[in-house]
Amino acid sequence: MKPQSPASCQVWFDERLLADIMDRPTTIHTEEALTPRAPWSCLATTAPGGFTRWGWGLMAGWMLVLLGPSLGWAGLLRRTAGWSALPNHWGESLSARDVWELWENGGLKLRLVNSPTVHLFGLGLILVLWCGWRMQAEQAGLKARLGPWLLGALDTLLIGFLPLGAVAWLADLVLAWSGGSGLDALGWAGFLGRPLVWMALVSALNLQWWLCRLGRASGRTGGYRTHLESCFMGLWSHPIQWGTLALGGAALRALLPFLVLLLAWRMGGGTTFRVWLFLLLQLLVTAVNGWLMGWLLRATACFWHQDAVVREARTALQDAVHEANS
């Protein structure tokens, strides 16, 4: 056999190298359906869809949650109209003595369990939790079951309570220090920011719970540790975007009822029309807050679904590369 020249060997080697490169799997970023997406990118795609059966149920549940305490407070004012000055001074701060008087002599202790308003509040809360889970599972293409819902809450306690609580505690310390610095701007920042931090903590824990229960409901294999790691990284791989959504959502949902309360405080409730007007405004704002909560539920489900698809594609790509190299 006639030996080949070095030039022909180099050409043969280049051709084999090119063929090997062409046979290798391409990066998943070249596929639009497999491109990783951040939480903010899911907001626009999930804005529609709030006015479905589960969306209406979510908003109705929040309105029931509001109506329970409101009707209970109105009934208390009506029952105490003969012996207490509370109906004439309901907008003033209550002292510890006033609270004890309401609890002992106002009948709150006896009516707390059997009150229809308490049952109304509980029914609304159940409706909120159930419709929110059904909406989110439907958005992700999963089946809403009770097991993932409960076990996802346990996962949240394991991987979310300590890190998120530590961040909130540190932020509260910084705001407390700024509030006591003596500067007006920092004082207002501390005064307004500290309640928002703890509301944002509740919102962030909800986000972690939603990711955990979606992971549970998907039934994807990989082990419990892999499940916890993927749920944890789903939240902490985008801390700025998730933090903005948690803090901004909590601030917006608190601002709308506060504006209605401020309007009621300035106008007063001297007429029946004004009382009903403020109640209707509160119901409207509560429905808007329910829609905002549903929007965040759908956006989280959209992000989780895309993140799960990308993780599966990465695993398949790594296995293909490993087989090709071996």
Side-chain angles (χ1 to χ4, degrees):
M1 182 176 178
K2 183 179 179 181
Q4 296 181 350
S5 62
S8 62
C9 291
Q10 181 66 35
V11 172
W12 177 85
F13 179 77
D14 292 341
E15 291 177 352
R16 290 297 302 249
L17 181 61
L18 179 61
D20 182 64
I21 292 175
M22 294 297 293
D23 291 338
R24 290 181 181 177
T26 58
T27 174
I28 61 175
H29 293 276
T30 59
E31 299 288 341
E32 184 178 356
L34 299 178
T35 302
R37 300 176 63 182
W40 287 355
S41 63
C42 298
L43 293 176
T45 58
T46 55
F51 300 104
T52 60
R53 55 176 178 170
W54 305 121
W56 287 114
L58 184 65
M59 289 185 284
W62 277 119
M63 287 190 286
L64 288 177
V65 169
L66 172 71
L67 278 176
S70 299
L71 294 178
W73 182 249
L76 175 66
L77 294 179
R78 181 179 58 83
R79 289 191 299 269
T80 59
W83 58 272
S84 174
L86 180 62
N88 299 325
H89 304 281
W90 64 271
E92 299 178 3
S93 299
L94 297 180
S95 63
R97 176 70 181 180
D98 296 330
V99 174
W100 181 86
E101 181 184 357
L102 289 173
W103 182 257
E104 292 292 335
N105 301 325
L108 288 181
K109 183 170 61 175
L110 299 177
R111 295 185 177 92
L112 182 61
V113 177
N114 297 323
S115 173
T117 59
V118 175
H119 299 160
L120 195 65
F121 176 85
L123 176 62
L125 189 59
I126 294 174
L127 194 60
V128 165
L129 296 174
W130 177 245
C131 290
W133 177 216
R134 292 299 299 264
M135 172 189 287
Q136 194 172 47
E138 188 176 84
Q139 178 71 36
L142 303 173
K143 184 178 180 181
R145 295 173 297 175
L146 183 61
W149 188 86
L150 293 174
L151 294 176
L154 177 61
D155 296 338
T156 303
L157 292 177
L158 293 177
I159 65 174
F161 186 77
L162 286 180
L164 292 173
V167 172
W169 178 69
L170 291 175
D172 183 76
L173 286 181
V174 173
L175 290 172
W177 172 82
S178 64
S181 62
L183 300 177
D184 291 341
L186 293 179
W188 280 107
F191 177 74
L192 298 175
R194 294 184 70 183
L196 283 179
V197 165
W198 297 108
M199 286 190 290
L201 172 62
V202 175
S203 182
L205 287 173
N206 276 329
L207 290 172
Q208 186 68 83
W209 176 34
W210 298 345
L211 293 173
C212 290
R213 69 188 187 184
L214 286 169
R216 285 273 189 176
S218 65
R220 287 180 167 86
T221 59
Y224 186 57
R225 180 178 178 181
T226 303
H227 161 71
L228 293 180
E229 289 178 354
S230 61
C231 294
F232 182 83
M233 293 307 300
L235 185 69
W236 289 94
S237 59
H238 304 280
I240 296 178
Q241 295 198 18
W242 282 127
T244 302
L245 288 176
L247 185 61
L252 182 59
R253 291 190 298 271
L255 177 63
L256 296 178
F258 174 76
L259 292 178
V260 175
L261 181 62
L262 182 62
L263 178 64
W265 189 270
R266 294 183 63 86
M267 294 183 62
T271 62
T272 305
F273 172 76
R274 289 182 179 180
V275 174
W276 280 104
L277 175 62
F278 298 143
L279 179 60
L280 291 176
L281 287 177
Q282 282 285 4
L283 289 176
L284 178 61
V285 166
T286 304
V288 172
N289 282 344
W291 184 87
L292 291 174
M293 180 64 70
W295 187 13
L296 188 57
L297 281 163
R298 297 190 301 274
T300 306
C302 174
F303 167 81
W304 174 88
H305 182 266
Q306 185 68 18
D307 184 65
V309 171
V310 171
R311 281 189 283 106
E312 289 182 350
R314 284 175 176 170
T315 302
L317 183 61
Q318 291 174 357
D319 294 340
V321 171
H322 178 73
E323 292 178 0
N325 293 333
S326 60

